[in-house]
Amino acid sequence: IVCVTGCSFGGRFYSLEDTWHPDLGEPFGVMHCVQCYCEPQKSRRGKVFGKVNCKNIKQDCPDPDCDDPILLPGHCCKTCPKGDRKQTDSVLDSFEYFHEKVKEKEDDLHKSYNDRSYLSSEDVGPGESRTDFVAVLTGVTSSWLPSSSAVARVRFVLTRNSLAFSITYQRMGRPSKIVFLDSDGTTAFEYRVPKGQSDMICGVWKNMAKPLLRQLQSEQMRISMTTSTSRREEVEGKIIKHRALFAETFSSMLTSEEENSGMGGIAMLTLSDTENNLHFILILQGLIKHKGKDPLLVPIRVQLVYRQHILREIRANITSHDPDFAEVLTDLNSRELFWLSRGQLEITVATEGPDPRQISGFITGRKSCDTIQSVMSSGDALTPGKTGGVGSAVFSLHDNGTLDYQVQVAGLSSDVVGLTIELKPRRRNKRSVLYDLTPEYSKTTGQAVGSWSRLEARHIHMLLQNELFINVATAHSQEGELRGQIKALLYSGLDAPRHELPTPLAGHFVSPPVRTGASGHTWLSVDKQCHLHYEIVVAGLSRTDDITVNAHLHGLAEIGEMDDSSTAHKRLLTGFYGSQAQGVLKDISAELLQHLDQGTAFIQVSTKMNPRGEIRGRVHVPNNCESGTKADTDEVEFDDVYQKDPEELKKDPHTCFFENQHHAHGSRWTPNYDKCFSCSCQKRTVICDPVICPVLTCSRTIQPDDKCCPVCDEKREPKDVKAPDRVEEHPEGCYFEGDQKMHAPGTTWHPFVPPFGYIKCAVCTCKGSTGEVHCEKVTCPALTCSQPVRRNPSDCCKECPEEDRTPAGLEHSDMMQADGPRHCKFGKNYYQNSDSWHPWVPLVGEMKCINCWCDVSIVMPRNMTHITQYKCSDKKDLKPALEQLCCT
């Protein structure tokens, strides 16, 4: 597989020529006025790599043409209120655009064949768009390879810089390799096809470089597919946009009965929304053999056939330079519609003349690697509510028109009395039921599993246009307690078992239960490398609620019960906007893998409305991973990474070699040379930081031989001295945005802020009682020399050179400097105790919506260094009047 080049910034990967706004974490957040760019560079050897360049774009803001411009959230430049279009408006506009596209579908299909431009904004997240492409692959003729009769069709969906593809093929063995070719014919990406029995190939090309994206958009790329059998076959075709992809609900692959014909084609079909008219567009390859420069007009005959009986026939002329053809078969009768739904209609295309050539294929429902699914929530019910229940469904459409379904419900307020597939109601109290699944519902399992074998062609069309719904009626909500839209979930390329019922996520499963209108479901799997693949879909979140959600994976000692003395492992999966999230979680601890294997783990989605969990579901992922290693309970930290096989570590290019040992990227350990240091490996670089000992509240302490910090001597503690009330520790610890890790209650560390690295002059502590992170700054003393120097680049404080030291000067300490005036240093400025200020951030300037203040803390007993604490808070949490004052 071709190596992907790009830039790594803040723990994320960006393709060449990508642009983004850096995220500095709380309380600063995303720097919308700073734009970073992954600039392509070439080494002396000609190897292309990426270099990050960031610049302030505020000076490029246009002058608003109004007296009182406003600054919208998530924007850098002020805009005029009249020109303000909020995010919800753009979402509504996209739905209106979709609606208009459906209405214009009939007229649109009669446009010039060459007008293939098309861009849709179907159900995608804010700020995203998707573009559909198609390719028809036919046999390649060369001097050493005879032409093939094989035909393949590839459907592509481009979202951001990821290109998902679904491939169907006929008259050839299972391909072994798929190659994307750029405009020069050079291999741009290679996909090795996994072995399997399926007649469909699914894959994703992730992180496409900007130059290749431009070639794709301008239709300059090709795709080829080869087999590795003894009779090697190869098919190839051009990747194009096509307007018909937006409306297509039926399709056909056209092949020839001739051997080594090199012919083929596809038909994209759709029904009218109100009449039984069948629209189709043909894309034909190799049907006309003409090598002259001038276009040749060729008569063709298109037939609709049922069991060798011709039902309809159309005669027309096509040219050799543009063999595509579009037409409408009007007023299909009930028998023709029935045969269409059963996959029994055949479309035949033949040339007329002395040397007739013919290709044909059966018409079936549109095929792709996407998953037809639905999340049912009380928030999406006809009468919206907040019950905390959930419904989840997965569907599979067969060529003969049979629809297999798996449905599950949980957390309902009362018994299920109806489970139905419906149309969108024209009036609130006028439901249109298409199919009743209630007889297949089992109260014991909460599931309904079966097949709907009598789908009409119109039903298949509506299903593939995301126009059907599933409704769950209960004894307390006769019209429906849960409801969800049945729609396709785009193929993501993750190793998630989408053919199985997903794990339901509901407020009912949160502890304590949450009455919410939201619900969701998730697919999970653990691969051979012990990485967790996950896909999450949520529904029912109100637009008035904050839709910024975070998904966490929790491991529990006992499901549904938390022992006070135990600690849960908590890993952030991702933060996402909209209704979907997917990804891969690596570096999973042995304990968490064991909880997944035993079914004592759960996925949880939280929002700002319910930060401790909006919906949750128990997950069970059997696995044989034993790569994690358990340490002593008093030594283990949440950010510890499991130890890998030493031989594997040597092969990893990110491994660190330190004190004759290999350490995995991201791992932490105590070095042999000093137990009062903590070292970590960050991509071949070893960073060692001094251990900061916590302040003890006991009167008697002891110093263990194998520890850096003293501990309380509980045995010798006077009995008459009342021990201070122990603060209940937050069982989950603290999540720090900088290093994106969980830290155990009471632990301290130097904050790691990507991409700037470790901040040596600050020390963060996890407050166990609240789960909050407090970062304190080590204050450097005032010096007597005029030109202080920093002895080591990684040192926090400067010091006076030896020759500049006065007799009253300060002796150098091994790690930190001696006592000095108590103050805070932020950036290049010093602040006295109780001072407050707005921080200044490079490339951005003064952050008026962030307020910092200096809070002098206590003296550390170990090295007598003053610790002062600066805190920063986001003023956007204050009342709107103050927000307007500081943010505009």
Side-chain angles (χ1 to χ4, degrees):
I1 295 177
V2 176
C3 294
V4 180
T5 57
C7 300
S8 180
F9 185 94
R12 296 185 181 182
F13 181 83
Y14 297 91
S15 298
L16 293 177
E17 299 192 18
D18 271 358
T19 58
W20 68 95
H21 300 293
D23 187 351
L24 300 187
E26 292 296 336
F28 301 99
V30 178
M31 299 288 100
H32 295 287
C33 285
V34 176
Q35 187 176 69
C36 295
Y37 171 65
C38 182
E39 181 181 359
Q41 303 278 324
K42 266 192 177 181
S43 66
R44 293 181 179 178
R45 297 182 179 179
K47 184 179 179 181
V48 178
F49 63 95
K51 178 182 177 182
V52 177
N53 284 326
C54 298
K55 67 174 183 178
N56 189 346
I57 59 174
K58 192 168 186 178
Q59 64 237 19
D60 299 329
C61 290
D63 293 329
D65 190 18
C66 57
D67 295 330
D68 297 310
I70 60 174
L71 183 64
L72 298 175
H75 290 68
C76 173
C77 303
K78 293 183 179 181
T79 55
C80 296
K82 292 182 180 179
D84 176 20
R85 295 187 65 192
K86 296 184 180 178
Q87 182 174 315
T88 52
D89 295 335
S90 65
V91 173
L92 293 174
D93 287 349
S94 68
F95 279 108
E96 289 172 6
Y97 169 75
F98 173 78
H99 210 56
E100 289 298 319
K101 273 291 184 183
V102 174
K103 289 180 181 178
E104 296 168 2
K105 199 161 45 185
E106 291 88 345
D107 297 333
D108 190 50
L109 290 176
H110 286 292
K111 293 179 182 177
S112 164
Y113 313 142
N114 294 323
D115 179 19
R116 298 194 181 104
S117 60
Y118 155 67
L119 179 68
S120 77
S121 298
E122 236 178 321
D123 185 28
V124 291
E128 287 188 28
S129 63
R130 54 170 280 185
T131 311
D132 289 17
F133 300 83
V134 69
V136 181
L137 280 59
T138 52
V140 176
T141 304
S142 64
S143 57
W144 55 275
L145 187 67
S147 184
S148 168
S149 297
V151 179
R153 173 201 167 131
V154 190
R155 183 177 184 126
F156 307 88
V157 178
L158 176 66
T159 307
R160 291 186 179 177
N161 60 352
S162 291
L163 186 68
F165 49 89
S166 307
I167 304 177
T168 52
Y169 55 92
Q170 290 184 15
R171 297 181 63 83
M172 72 182 297
R174 185 169 177 85
S176 60
K177 184 173 66 173
I178 298 164
V179 176
F180 289 77
L181 305 170
D182 64 13
S183 56
D184 297 329
T186 306
T187 298
F189 178 74
E190 184 177 304
Y191 179 79
R192 295 284 179 177
V193 180
K195 295 181 179 180
Q197 303 300 321
S198 172
D199 59 350
M200 182 169 286
I201 299 171
C202 308
V204 176
W205 179 2
K206 296 184 178 179
N207 297 315
M208 286 186 70
K210 282 287 178 65
L212 294 173
L213 282 171
R214 286 194 289 267
Q215 289 189 25
L216 178 68
Q217 295 281 9
S218 58
E219 301 185 354
Q220 298 178 30
M221 297 195 72
R222 300 181 67 85
I223 182 172
S224 78
M225 194 164 68
T226 56
T227 62
S228 59
T229 55
S230 55
R231 184 177 177 271
R232 187 173 182 271
E233 293 180 282
E234 182 178 1
V235 291
E236 186 179 317
K238 185 178 181 181
I239 304 175
I240 62 172
K241 299 177 186 177
H242 208 296
R243 64 186 183 278
L245 291 166
F246 187 62
E248 179 191 18
T249 49
F250 295 90
S251 64
S252 176
M253 195 180 310
L254 310 176
T255 61
S256 170
E257 296 297 328
E258 299 178 24
E259 290 294 329
N260 306 324
S261 67
M263 295 187 299
I266 62 170
M268 296 181 284
L269 309 96
T270 189
L271 283 174
S272 301
D273 290 328
T274 55
E275 300 174 337
N276 293 326
N277 299 334
L278 186 64
H279 303 251
F280 67 89
I281 285 184
L282 303 175
I283 301 179
L284 309 173
Q285 299 284 351
L287 195 63
I288 302 174
K289 298 295 184 182
H290 176 69
K291 297 182 179 179
K293 292 183 179 180
D294 297 328
L296 177 68
L297 199 65
V298 178
I300 63 167
R301 184 177 64 250
V302 182
Q303 296 175 336
L304 193 67
V305 179
Y306 171 70
R307 293 184 178 178
Q308 299 182 341
H309 294 285
I310 300 173
L311 306 177
R312 307 283 184 105
E313 183 175 88
I314 298 172
R315 294 176 182 268
N317 294 322
I318 61 174
T319 66
S320 55
H321 287 191
D322 186 12
D324 294 4
F325 177 71
E327 194 48 85
V328 182
L329 299 172
T330 59
D331 298 324
L332 267 64
N333 58 42
S334 59
R335 288 185 306 163
E336 291 171 332
L337 288 170
F338 175 79
W339 292 330
L340 175 63
S341 68
R342 295 297 179 268
Q344 297 173 344
L345 286 185
E346 190 175 8
I347 190 167
T348 300
V349 183
T351 60
E352 296 185 301
D355 184 21
R357 300 164 68 84
Q358 177 176 306
I359 54 177
S360 62
F362 285 95
I363 303 172
T364 63
R366 183 190 72 217
K367 297 178 181 178
S368 76
C369 298
D370 301 341
T371 301
I372 305 174
Q373 51 86 52
S374 179
V375 176
M376 296 92 83
S377 67
S378 55
D380 288 332
L382 293 178
T383 304
K386 293 187 176 183
T387 67
V390 61
S392 172
V394 179
F395 303 89
S396 177
L397 180 65
H398 297 277
D399 288 349
N400 63 2
T402 299
L403 183 68
D404 294 340
Y405 57 84
Q406 301 177 74
V407 186
Q408 60 183 339
V409 296
L412 299 176
S413 61
S414 53
D415 290 342
V416 173
V417 296
L419 187 60
T420 51
I421 295 177
E422 305 179 356
L423 302 175
K424 184 177 181 179
R426 297 182 178 178
R427 294 193 301 273
R428 184 173 294 274
N429 296 323
K430 190 70 174 178
R431 289 162 50 203
S432 301
V433 176
L434 290 183
Y435 185 70
D436 188 2
L437 288 69
T438 312
E440 305 299 327
Y441 176 74
S442 167
K443 183 179 179 181
T444 305
T445 62
Q447 297 183 3
V449 180
S451 298
W452 179 11
S453 59
R454 296 185 179 181
L455 263 79
E456 299 176 7
R458 173 70 55 194
H459 299 157
I460 295 174
H461 171 81
M462 299 183 75
L463 173 73
L464 297 178
Q465 287 280 31
N466 300 338
E467 295 175 1
L468 299 184
F469 298 81
I470 184 165
N471 197 79
V472 181
T474 61
H476 291 168
S477 301
Q478 296 284 334
E479 285 297 311
E481 180 174 327
L482 305 175
R483 190 176 180 88
Q485 184 181 9
I486 302 174
K487 52 187 176 181
L489 180 65
L490 292 179
Y491 178 72
S492 65
L494 295 173
D495 186 17
R498 283 192 178 184
H499 59 281
E500 301 175 0
L501 264 176
T503 297
L505 307 175
H508 176 77
F509 299 134
V510 179
S511 180
V514 176
R515 294 183 66 86
T516 173
S519 60
H521 59 206
T522 178
W523 287 274
L524 298 165
S525 70
V526 175
D527 62 19
K528 294 180 180 179
Q529 288 76 37
C530 296
H531 299 161
L532 179 73
H533 297 242
Y534 64 90
E535 291 191 83
I536 302 171
V537 183
V538 297
L541 282 172
S542 169
R543 291 200 180 279
T544 58
D545 297 338
D546 181 77
I547 60 171
T548 306
V549 289
N550 291 298
H552 292 81
L553 179 67
H554 297 249
L556 295 180
E558 294 181 40
I559 191 71
E561 184 176 331
M562 181 76 74
D563 186 9
D564 291 338
S565 62
S566 69
T567 304
H569 290 71
K570 180 179 178 182
R571 290 290 302 274
L572 180 76
L573 294 178
T574 185
F576 61 98
Y577 298 86
S579 61
Q580 300 173 23
Q582 55 268 137
V584 180
L585 183 65
K586 302 178 181 180
D587 293 344
I588 310 176
S589 66
E591 293 85 352
L592 195 47
L593 288 164
Q594 186 178 2
H595 287 305
L596 285 167
D597 186 55
Q598 296 173 350
T600 52
F602 61 85
I603 288 282
Q604 179 167 290
V605 175
S606 57
T607 64
K608 284 190 175 180
M609 298 292 290
N610 289 290
R612 294 193 177 275
E614 178 111 9
I615 53 177
R616 179 193 288 185
R618 176 177 172 176
V619 293
H620 180 206
V621 187
N623 63 83
N624 298 317
C625 296
E626 298 178 354
S627 54
T629 55
K630 296 182 180 180
D632 296 333
T633 55
D634 59 343
E635 286 285 334
V636 71
E637 288 188 7
F638 284 10
D639 49 357
D640 282 349
V641 205
Y642 60 86
Q643 294 178 2
K644 299 179 180 178
D645 182 64
E647 295 302 318
E648 291 296 322
L649 282 176
K650 293 179 183 179
K651 300 176 184 177
D652 188 349
H654 293 156
T655 295
C656 300
F657 187 72
F658 186 80
E659 293 183 331
N660 288 328
Q661 282 188 315
H662 288 90
H663 298 272
H665 164 64
S667 61
R668 298 184 68 90
W669 69 93
T670 300
N672 296 329
Y673 73 87
D674 194 333
K675 62 189 175 186
C676 286
F677 276 77
S678 176
C679 297
S680 66
C681 174
Q682 299 292 329
K683 292 186 177 179
R684 300 178 62 184
T685 301
V686 175
I687 302 173
C688 295
D689 303 310
V691 173
I692 306 300
C693 296
V695 178
L696 302 178
T697 56
C698 51
S699 60
R700 298 178 182 271
T701 64
I702 57 174
Q703 179 65 57
D705 294 336
D706 57 341
K707 305 287 184 183
C708 170
C709 300
V711 296
C712 291
D713 186 5
E714 297 180 356
K715 297 180 180 179
R716 299 183 59 189
E717 191 71 23
K719 296 183 180 180
D720 55 338
V721 178
K722 184 181 179 181
D725 294 335
R726 183 175 180 180
V727 179
E728 182 184 358
E729 290 191 342
H730 198 265
E732 297 176 345
C734 305
Y735 178 77
F736 183 59
E737 289 287 350
D739 54 17
Q740 297 187 346
K741 293 179 180 178
M742 290 299 302
H743 296 269
T747 55
T748 58
W749 68 96
H750 289 295
F752 182 82
V753 181
F756 308 106
Y758 282 94
I759 309 299
K760 291 291 192 73
C761 289
V763 176
C764 294
T765 304
C766 174
K767 301 295 183 182
S769 57
T770 61
E772 296 178 352
V773 174
H774 290 270
C775 293
E776 301 174 340
K777 182 170 177 57
V778 177
T779 301
C780 296
L783 300 175
T784 58
C785 54
S786 58
Q787 294 182 333
V789 295
R790 184 171 282 107
R791 176 169 294 193
N792 296 308
S794 61
D795 287 349
C796 171
C797 300
K798 291 184 178 181
E799 61 184 45
C800 289
E802 292 291 338
E803 61 271 15
D804 288 355
R805 289 188 178 179
T806 63
L810 301 173
E811 291 299 324
H812 173 67
S813 170
D814 285 341
M815 284 310 303
M816 296 184 183
Q817 293 177 323
D819 202 1
R822 300 187 179 191
H823 54 246
C824 300
K825 183 174 183 289
F826 188 90
K828 295 182 179 180
N829 300 318
Y830 287 89
Y831 299 93
Q832 299 300 322
N833 186 29
S834 301
D835 282 354
S836 62
W837 68 95
H838 299 304
W840 188 91
V841 177
L843 298 178
V844 179
E846 189 177 30
M847 305 291 293
K848 291 186 178 181
C849 289
I850 305 291
N851 192 43
C852 298
W853 65 96
C854 179
D855 181 13
V856 175
S857 183
I858 61 173
V859 176
M860 291 293 289
R862 183 171 179 267
N863 48 38
M864 299 301 295
T865 300
H866 285 309
I867 299 296
T868 58
Q869 179 177 357
Y870 66 85
K871 300 179 181 178
C872 297
S873 64
D874 192 340
K875 282 191 177 181
K876 292 180 182 177
D877 294 334
L878 305 180
K879 54 188 179 181
L882 183 56
E883 177 181 341
Q884 186 176 7
L885 181 66
C886 78
C887 297
T888 59

